[in-house]
Amino acid sequence: MAKKAARRTSGRKKAKKSTTRQSGFFHRIGRIVSRVVLGCLAAVLALILVYSVVNPPVTHTIWQEWRRLGKVEREWVPIEEIAPIMARSVVAAEDANFCLHWGFDVNAIRAALEDGSGRGASTISQQVVKNVFLWQGRSWIRKALETTITPMVELVWSKRRIIEVYLNVAETGEGVFGVEAAARQSFGVAAADLSPVQAARIAAILPSPRKRSVRDPSVRTRRRAAAILDGAATIRADGRDDCFED
């Protein structure tokens, strides 16, 4: 009996030691994962701080298109050298409540869910995060990262800076990035000299810049541009451009 009791006690001690070792292993793994996540967040925050004053030199999409096509058209210009109507046009086209939200348009998200058509509800802030810090494509990982980073960008950058970056990194044609390159390629003018109609045409192709044309717009694109033109005027009239206008 004593021997059986001793064996049972020994077995319990071995099981306890095994459990302790497993617990220690998972604890170490947890600490490593936590450190990696915190390190990544710290790196992203550092980039957000840097890009609040320094222009992003390249994005994943620009680099990807350069590899695919062999060249890209892009010229960074400060927002002061972009016609104000261009900023109002992209807001009217992509995010009419840009000045009213903190990175996520809850009403647009709710409407998209209720509609059930799969239409997007991404704000300009979210698109900037995707373009500058992440990659294109649909995945839960990218969306989770985008959701995490967007409030950080909204907290550090001004709305005017967000618009400025968007106007310079958005894809505006196949191998074309930013409104300056689009203006020069499509209309032979600088972004500062864009007319309301020209600005609306550029904004109209943003959802699908590789399939839609600024220089030879389809009837659908022309109609969308006309609606954007009206929307830009409304945004100016009701003050929804106050956060990015001088």
Side-chain angles (χ1 to χ4, degrees):
M1 293 293 290
K3 289 182 179 180
K4 289 183 179 180
R7 283 197 295 269
R8 285 198 296 268
T9 301
S10 176
R12 285 195 294 268
K13 287 181 178 179
K14 288 180 180 179
K16 186 176 182 180
K17 286 181 180 179
S18 177
T19 302
T20 301
R21 284 197 296 268
Q22 289 179 355
S23 177
F25 172 76
F26 288 118
H27 182 65
R28 287 194 296 274
I29 292 296
R31 282 192 301 177
I32 292 171
V33 171
S34 297
R35 287 173 181 174
V36 170
V37 171
L38 288 175
C40 290
L41 287 176
V44 169
L45 181 57
L47 280 178
I48 291 171
L49 290 169
V50 169
Y51 288 162
S52 67
V53 292
V54 176
N55 300 329
V58 71
T59 68
H60 181 270
T61 305
I62 293 174
W63 174 77
Q64 199 173 43
E65 283 300 278
W66 177 81
R67 285 191 62 190
R68 185 175 72 89
L69 301 172
K71 67 173 184 176
V72 294
E73 299 293 331
R74 183 200 182 198
E75 184 177 347
W76 187 287
V77 290
I79 195 170
E80 293 80 11
E81 296 179 19
I82 299 174
I85 185 61
M86 188 70 251
R88 290 196 296 271
S89 294
V90 298
V91 169
E94 300 290 292
D95 186 4
N97 293 320
F98 175 69
C99 286
L100 306 179
H101 62 66
W102 48 275
F104 305 100
D105 190 337
V106 176
N107 291 330
I109 293 171
R110 186 182 297 115
L113 291 173
E114 291 175 353
D115 184 58
S117 62
R119 67 179 181 179
S122 291
T123 63
I124 285 176
S125 303
Q126 289 174 271
Q127 292 181 54
V128 165
V129 167
K130 178 181 67 177
N131 289 333
V132 175
F133 300 101
L134 303 173
W135 61 91
Q136 304 295 321
R138 295 177 179 272
S139 73
W140 284 108
I141 293 176
R142 186 192 65 73
K143 200 65 181 177
L145 290 171
E146 179 186 302
T147 304
T148 301
I149 298 171
T150 297
M152 298 165 67
V153 169
E154 281 275 346
L155 184 65
V156 176
W157 295 7
S158 67
K159 289 285 192 177
R160 186 172 172 85
R161 176 59 173 169
I162 293 173
I163 281 288
E164 180 179 47
V165 173
Y166 180 79
L167 292 171
N168 280 284
V169 302
E171 192 171 10
T172 49
E174 187 171 29
V176 183
F177 294 87
V179 297
E180 177 73 11
R184 291 192 179 279
Q185 187 181 86
S186 299
F187 305 115
V189 300
D193 300 319
L194 284 167
S195 71
V197 171
Q198 290 169 340
R201 288 267 184 92
I202 293 174
I205 70 156
L206 288 176
S208 187
R210 299 180 193 179
K211 296 180 179 179
R212 299 179 185 180
S213 172
V214 175
R215 283 182 290 189
D216 185 24
S218 64
V219 173
R220 182 180 179 182
T221 300
R222 288 177 183 274
R223 288 174 180 169
R224 177 170 166 78
I228 289 169
L229 200 60
D230 289 341
T234 301
I235 285 172
R236 185 178 189 183
D238 63 20
R240 277 181 289 164
D241 60 352
D242 290 346
C243 69
F244 59 86
E245 292 279 12
D246 279 336

